Amino acid sequence: MDSLGSLGSLGSLGLFTLLVGAALPLIDFFIVNVALPTIDHDLAAGPALLELVVAGYGVAYAVLLVLGGRLGDRFGRRRLFRAGMAAFGLTSLACGLAPDAWSLVGARVAQGAAAALMLPQVLATIQAATHGTRKARAIGLYGATAGLAMVAGQILGGVLVSADLAGTGWRAVFLVNVPVAVLGLLLAPTVPETRSASPAPVDVPGTLLLALALTTLLVPLAEGRTVGWPLWTWVALALWPFATAGFFLVERHADRAGKVPLVPPSLLRLVSLRRGLALVLPFSVGFGGFMFVVAVALQQGLRLGPVDAGLALAPMAVAFFLASLAGPRLVGRHGTRVVTAGGLLQGAGLAVLAATAWRGWPDLGVLDLAPGVALAGLGQGLQLPVLFRVVLADVPADRAGVGSGVMVTGQQSALALGVATLGSLFLALVPAYGMRTALVAVLACQLVLVAVTVALSVRLPRRLS
């Protein structure tokens, strides 16, 4: 079992502090979407470097998340949370002050690494320092925070770019993190220190192979279209299945030898974790792609300014928040069938949005888009918090860091994969078929992913502990 130390269980202020730490990395994954045009204008970045501004953060974040969880288990989760928060504030400052595009890319990679140090400690601390209904409520709030952060990032980005505070322009989307990180550091003592009573050493071979597997998949998919699919992209993609197979074999061998691998195969034998992850992944692929494509379509297709482009997603944020509030009561009454209902509502919202775009393009305003966006947000809000609870329901406390690291790595990798695949599809279709057809095609692809999640949701455990 975990040792909670002398600071006891997690209180309300400590939970708030952790949720701030959970929101920052997810906001920053999406906040740059509406800032990319002004970054390109100011730094003469070009398409390839702009892709790296997005992908560099996402790949570093995804690659190091499980390692971050393992380090928290070993050295103390509050300690790693504080270190990650401090590093996130400093790297955000470096992003905001970047003099050129390559400096920004480097700072974004470092920012992703800082996020990977901080975020796994949030769920691991919740798992270790709460119990029963308090744990269910805390994980539900984490899921609500995660969903809201992803939508709010794009809205906040639009507002900050347009406000041009003190002439900072796009730099404000990074500089805004600095005072929030300072607040998080000041409140960090309210978080109880937890760690594993028998921490495992760092699995170096597993860490390196996981990094190779994720990098050889995500980097070429993110950069390939922009740079014209040179030889290195195909070599990397060809290496990906071998790196993935190597990772699985090394982890299985370590598990059978009595060692503690980075991702214990025995953890993946938990039915709730395995089935929950099977839904989190397609959900996140669709969500990541949707947010990127909509940001481009609204600004370049409908010619909306950054504020209007952000406000177009406000109904999604409001609906998601309301659904998250209602979720725990609905789950208590109907169990995980709430996820099925949420998927159906999300699908209906995407269909309404596709029909709206097909009929009204390009003469669409924020109000025209609101019904479809709100309905999709309502469905998403019923799914994501519940799925997080499902994934972590049976993870033992002494594996809290590993369990949360696996889940967030899967989610983050899927978000990045969604941006790379659906975003590339959209941008490839635009020159030949136009913005309207490209947008509807991507929404149709997302509908397929929603159909997958709805079909899989009936296999979830009906009741949650």
Side-chain angles (χ1 to χ4, degrees), residues 68-90:
R70 176 62 60 84
L71 292 174
D73 286 351
R74 185 172 184 82
F75 297 109
R77 294 167 188 139
R78 184 178 67 184
R79 179 181 296 178
L80 268 292
F81 178 81
R82 294 176 75 166
M85 181 70 77
F88 194 85
L90 290 172

Side-chain angles (χ1 to χ4, degrees), residues 221-222 285 289 414-427 442 449:
L221 287 179
V285 167
L415 287 171
L417 187 62
V419 173
T421 54
L422 296 181
S424 293
L425 173 65
F426 173 76
L427 294 173
V442 169
L449 293 171

